[in-house]
Amino acid sequence: MALTRPYDRDAAAFYASVWAFDRNPAYLNFDGLGGDCTNFASQCLFAGSKAMNYSPVFGWYYINGNNKSPSWTGVEFFYSFLVNNKSVGPFGVKSDISHIGKGDFIQLGDGQKFFHTLFIIRVESPAPESIFVATHTMDSYDRPLSSYYYNEIRFIRIGGVRKWS
């Protein structure tokens, strides 16, 4: 039976504050391999969830740079895992701007595909100029969402973490 526990948003945000402008040596840096934004987002999510889902193909896990799920580093796979996960590990829902907060995620798109994952560190009000993020690839911390260019946007609200009893 799966038990649901809260996601530690403060732990995830603290992780982002430590590693936004640096790279944790426990993880491969994907800057030269398509970008490090979703890798960093996954690290923040893991810091707040302390759980991975080791299901082959559709799980969310990182063992090393050669042994990880597509959802650990891929923008679309990250989204798909979170909103479809009915098993162990963190889970979320597609949300709107008025229901997100610290520890949630934003993905930016160009009208063809989503290409960038941002970690939310604080929300002052549900408006792009009042939502502040941390990210890798173009390393940022406490950057307003309104400073990004995009054609599409989606928000992922983390609902909790499941583990087997």
Side-chain angles (χ1 to χ4, degrees):
M1 181 166 115
L3 299 175
T4 301
R5 62 178 168 78
Y7 166 60
D8 189 340
R9 295 171 181 281
D10 291 330
F14 178 75
Y15 184 93
S17 73
V18 171
W19 294 106
F21 293 108
D22 204 354
R23 301 297 184 268
N24 183 336
Y27 300 95
L28 182 66
N29 177 357
F30 288 87
D31 278 331
L33 303 167
D36 201 55
C37 65
T38 305
N39 179 40
F40 176 67
S42 286
Q43 292 172 40
C44 295
L45 182 59
F46 180 66
S49 67
K50 298 291 188 236
M52 293 187 189
N53 178 317
Y54 292 96
S55 301
V57 183
F58 299 111
W60 175 78
Y61 64 89
Y62 181 98
I63 297 169
N64 61 50
N66 294 317
N67 190 357
K68 60 171 184 53
S69 64
S71 58
W72 190 271
T73 55
V75 175
E76 293 288 354
F77 295 111
F78 181 80
Y79 173 81
S80 183
F81 169 77
L82 285 172
V83 301
N84 293 304
N85 183 27
K86 305 293 184 229
S87 186
V88 298
F91 61 92
V93 295
K94 184 175 182 182
S95 186
D96 60 50
I97 198 167
S98 64
H99 292 97
I100 56 166
K102 174 172 65 174
D104 292 328
F105 299 89
I106 299 169
Q107 292 188 319
L108 306 178
D110 60 11
Q112 301 290 317
K113 66 177 183 161
F114 285 89
F115 61 84
H116 197 37
T117 304
L118 310 167
F119 175 76
I120 301 171
I121 59 167
R122 68 186 164 99
V123 175
E124 294 176 351
S125 70
E129 63 276 5
S130 302
I131 297 170
F132 299 86
V133 300
T135 189
H136 275 186
T137 304
M138 294 186 300
D139 297 2
S140 299
Y141 184 80
D142 207 28
R143 180 175 171 178
L145 175 60
S146 59
S147 69
Y148 286 89
Y149 297 101
Y150 53 88
N151 292 326
E152 276 184 285
I153 190 167
R154 66 183 172 200
F155 304 95
I156 307 166
R157 173 90 179 151
I158 303 301
V161 183
R162 288 190 199 91
K163 67 176 211 165
W164 295 115
S165 59

